[in-house]
Amino acid sequence: MAKMAAVRTWMDRANRNIATSAVGRWFKLDGCGHPKERKGSYFFTEMRAGLATFFAMAYIIAVNASIVADSGGTCVCPNSQSGPDPWCNTNEDYLLCKAEIKKDLITATAAISALGTFAMGLFSNLPVGIAPGMGLNAYFTYSVVGRHGSGPVSYEVALTAIFIEGFIFFGLALFGLRQWLARSIPRCIKLATSVGIGLFLTMIGLTYSEGIGLIVGGRATPLELAGCREELKVDGLCPSSTKMRSPMMWIGIFCGGIFTAMLMMYRVKGAIIAGIILVSVISWPRTTPVTYFPYTPLGDSNFDFFKKVVDFHQIKKVLNVQHWNIGDTGGQFGLALITFLYVDILDTTGTLFSMARYANLVDPVTQDFEGSTAAYMVDSLTIVIGSVLGTPPVTAFVESGAGIGEGGKTGLTAMSTGICFFVSIFFAPIFASIPPWATGCVLVLVGSMMVQAVTEINWAYLGDSLPAFLTIAMMPFAYSIADGLIAGICVYILINTLVWLIEKASGGRIVPPNKDLKEPWTWRTEGGIMPPWVGRLAKGKKAFWRHPASNSASEDEGVVEKIDGTPAGPDKGFFDKATSVETSRPEKAT
């Protein structure tokens, strides 16, 4: 006990010293003295939260590599399309090439996740991890490139589309359009996005690919109870006699779910990490019925990779393979580019905003989150670099909620996660061997924490509540954050536009009886469409040219301020440099 008390004392002292240093002030740690310091953020808490985020995201290393490698990458199938094996499903040379592609992509996925997540934390100060997106990688493989290259666009041309998409995103972020989009989304949709993502995480945690395998797609019903071993499924379904009998599922429920929940109830530090490690260690021995390495060809392959422990695989076949001759696939190239654009922008915007809100980092005045410009720029440039490494579009991960739930509030959480991804480049056999049932219940627990925002939705007015409900429902049911946002926004626009038209046409006589309960909305968001740096530049120039002697702006601008951002007079608003938000300004009527 004395040793533990000494360790706690040392950690408390270290937390205080780091908080008062330049590092603490940059990341706004609790106790740093910054006016916008993030209460409850401590160095060691951030490090622990980063580990939690990494363990929740680590599955992407193996899963993304497996999905994208199914496209065949740069491998060329020598078979004739009129032959018995047109897409080289049994061609040994092609399958060996495909195995090398998968190893390349394990390194590429870990590398781009490390770089992007570290940069996200350093420049935007957000506790959010980014990596090649689930869903986007499936679209890339099965809709654009096709399995074994059977789609309309080659692997190389698809990467070219992603490369261009990243620069388009960067331009949108630089000129504030992505930030304006996030701010202009109605409040009910923003709240619903957080709830919908919570249910989306729960759905992921309950399925087979990244969860405990409790739920599977059905025939008579859209979803069906499962819980059998993977090898016992018949046509993708579990026979009645085998349901709820998977030992992996029960290990995940009790050791990854109930155990973690009990630790969280008693506020044990590192509860989420402890659950993931416990289930993983139980699942590694080959002689148990819950092993992640069964005596099958796939299990043997995974175990052989696991035994290497330390292994660096050089990227050979997918590095810098963009193909710029798009004349033969112009139409399909354009379709892929546009689809990647709108899906990624909605997916990333919705996820980043929800994670920022979950961490309590959303500004109540602007409805934007701190570091949004830097976050969108980092995301955009990481997409570009990822395409050079051979990966599908990179996006913010909802699994970041695991670290936020562990107490992460600053970019130190993301930087810690990024360092873990960097280490995983060399320890990929270990990190790629975390079984999905080790993280499934963690995602369910995080989902349960995120749905708490449902109580803040305006359920009193149908014009707000119905779009919010559809957003919540469509995200898990359509298995897409972007589709849920599209459904909610379209219904919101349609309903409220019709109400406005009827009101105008009737001279204000026909309105819903409870229209006064509707939440106000305007596209004229605080700060406008342009990004904060443009506002700062414009205000600085006005102040300089109008009052060079007194170094202040005139009162006809609505706000009296000095160039250095300090108040210029009593009872006047001021320009906060930290958030680029004008405060104490009267709200405009909406």
Side-chain angles (χ1 to χ4, degrees):
M1 294 295 292
K3 290 183 177 180
M4 292 182 63
V7 170
R8 283 197 296 268
T9 301
W10 176 82
M11 291 178 66
D12 290 341
R13 188 184 308 115
N15 281 331
R16 288 195 298 270
N17 291 337
I18 294 173
T20 55
S21 68
V23 172
R25 191 163 179 83
W26 175 269
F27 292 103
K28 303 177 185 176
L29 295 176
D30 194 342
C32 70
H34 193 283
K36 288 191 174 291
E37 67 180 30
R38 299 178 183 179
K39 298 299 182 182
S41 59
Y42 305 103
F43 179 78
F44 287 106
T45 302
E46 299 294 315
M47 295 298 102
R48 187 178 66 245
L51 285 174
T53 297
F54 170 74
F55 279 114
M57 290 178 61
Y59 73 88
I60 194 62
I61 297 174
V63 173
N64 182 67
S66 178
I67 291 175
V68 180
D70 209 23
S71 69
T74 55
C75 298
V76 178
C77 178
N79 294 355
S80 170
Q81 293 191 13
S82 59
D85 186 21
W87 297 113
C88 293
N89 294 317
T90 60
N91 185 290
E92 185 175 344
D93 291 337
Y94 186 85
L95 294 179
L96 286 173
C97 176
K98 181 179 168 183
E100 287 299 311
I101 292 289
K102 182 175 180 180
K103 292 177 182 178
D104 281 6
L105 288 166
I106 286 176
T107 302
T109 303
I112 195 60
S113 301
L115 176 63
T117 302
F118 190 90
M120 180 68 75
L122 179 62
F123 296 111
S124 70
N125 198 20
L126 290 174
V128 176
I130 60 177
M134 291 295 295
L136 284 168
N137 53 14
Y139 172 76
F140 174 90
T141 298
Y142 300 110
S143 297
V144 179
V145 180
R147 185 176 183 274
H148 289 191
S150 59
V153 177
S154 70
Y155 177 80
E156 295 88 344
V157 173
L159 290 178
T160 306
I162 294 170
F163 187 88
I164 296 173
E165 174 215 355
F167 279 112
I168 294 175
F169 274 180
F170 184 83
L172 293 176
L174 182 64
F175 292 104
L177 294 177
R178 288 184 76 173
Q179 298 89 314
W180 173 79
L181 175 64
R183 294 195 302 266
S184 62
I185 293 175
R187 181 175 181 271
C188 62
I189 302 295
K190 292 177 183 176
L191 294 171
T193 298
S194 180
V195 180
I197 288 178
L199 294 180
F200 181 69
L201 276 178
T202 302
M203 182 73 77
I204 292 174
L206 294 178
T207 55
Y208 275 92
S209 56
E210 291 92 42
I212 61 175
L214 182 62
I215 298 295
V216 71
R219 287 200 186 92
T221 57
L223 296 176
E224 188 174 297
L225 192 67
C228 67
R229 297 180 69 98
E230 186 81 40
E231 63 270 19
L232 297 179
K233 289 196 294 185
V234 178
D235 295 331
L237 303 178
C238 291
S240 300
S241 60
T242 64
K243 288 183 178 180
M244 301 296 291
R245 295 190 181 184
S246 168
M248 291 83 158
M249 180 195 71
W250 291 112
I251 288 291
I253 289 174
F254 286 106
C255 297
I258 302 300
F259 173 72
T260 304
M262 292 302 295
L263 292 180
M264 291 175 68
M265 286 183 67
Y266 289 97
R267 300 189 178 181
V268 175
K269 303 298 183 182
I272 291 176
I273 301 172
I276 294 174
I277 292 176
L278 176 61
V279 177
S280 297
V281 171
I282 292 173
S283 304
W284 282 339
R286 300 198 75 181
T287 57
T288 67
V290 295
T291 181
Y292 187 54
F293 309 113
Y295 290 98
T296 63
L298 179 59
D300 292 339
S301 176
N302 289 338
F303 190 65
D304 289 340
F305 187 51
F306 173 71
K307 288 190 296 182
K308 293 181 179 180
V309 182
V310 180
D311 180 58
F312 175 76
H313 178 82
Q314 184 179 354
I315 304 175
K316 299 176 182 178
K317 294 182 177 294
V318 300
L319 182 65
N320 193 24
V321 295
Q322 287 95 343
H323 182 67
W324 294 94
N325 185 12
I326 60 175
D328 296 336
T329 58
Q332 294 297 332
F333 172 85
L335 179 62
L337 176 61
I338 293 171
T339 304
F340 281 136
L341 271 170
Y342 86 81
V343 171
D344 205 5
I345 195 169
L346 290 176
D347 199 333
T348 304
T349 300
T351 304
L352 275 175
F353 182 86
S354 293
M355 293 299 104
R357 188 182 181 283
Y358 186 32
N360 196 30
L361 302 178
V362 176
D363 191 297
V365 177
T366 65
Q367 286 298 298
D368 197 5
F369 55 88
E370 295 183 39
S372 62
T373 300
Y376 290 128
M377 288 183 176
V378 168
D379 173 59
S380 305
L381 293 179
T382 308
I383 290 173
V384 173
I385 299 171
S387 72
V388 175
L389 296 179
T391 66
V394 172
T395 186
F397 259 58
V398 291
E399 285 83 354
S400 304
I404 297 173
E406 194 66 35
K409 296 176 182 292
T410 75
L412 286 172
T413 294
M415 292 175 68
S416 175
T417 304
I419 292 172
C420 289
F421 271 116
F422 177 76
V423 173
S424 73
I425 296 174
F426 307 97
F427 290 87
I430 298 294
F431 294 115
S433 299
I434 296 174
W437 54 87
T439 58
C441 283
V442 168
L443 299 182
V444 175
L445 286 169
V446 172
S448 72
M449 291 184 281
M450 293 191 67
V451 298
Q452 296 173 11
V454 73
T455 59
E456 301 178 39
I457 295 174
N458 178 27
W459 297 106
Y461 183 71
L462 193 64
D464 290 330
S465 62
L466 180 59
F469 175 76
L470 286 175
T471 302
I472 294 170
M474 286 296 293
M475 284 187 182
F477 293 156
Y479 211 73
S480 169
I481 296 171
D483 289 347
L485 273 170
I486 290 170
I489 292 172
C490 288
V491 171
Y492 183 92
I493 293 173
L494 181 60
I495 289 179
N496 289 286
T497 299
L498 288 174
V499 168
W500 180 81
L501 289 173
I502 293 172
E503 181 179 354
K504 292 299 181 182
S506 64
R509 291 186 296 272
I510 303 177
V511 296
N514 61 343
K515 187 174 183 293
D516 59 312
L517 299 178
K518 182 185 183 303
E519 288 182 334
W521 175 87
T522 176
W523 64 271
R524 297 182 179 91
T525 57
E526 186 74 22
I529 293 180
M530 301 308 291
W533 64 267
V534 174
R536 285 197 296 268
L537 182 63
K539 289 177 179 295
K541 286 183 176 180
K542 287 180 181 178
F544 177 81
W545 286 109
R546 289 175 184 244
H547 300 275
S550 63
N551 193 35
S552 62
S554 63
E555 294 189 21
D556 62 2
E557 297 298 320
V559 175
V560 178
E561 62 183 12
K562 296 181 181 179
I563 293 178
D564 63 2
T566 58
D571 301 321
K572 301 295 182 181
F574 64 94
F575 191 77
D576 189 321
K577 294 190 291 183
T579 59
S580 306
V581 175
E582 294 176 22
T583 59
S584 302
R585 170 176 282 182
E587 291 286 336
K588 293 182 180 180
T590 56

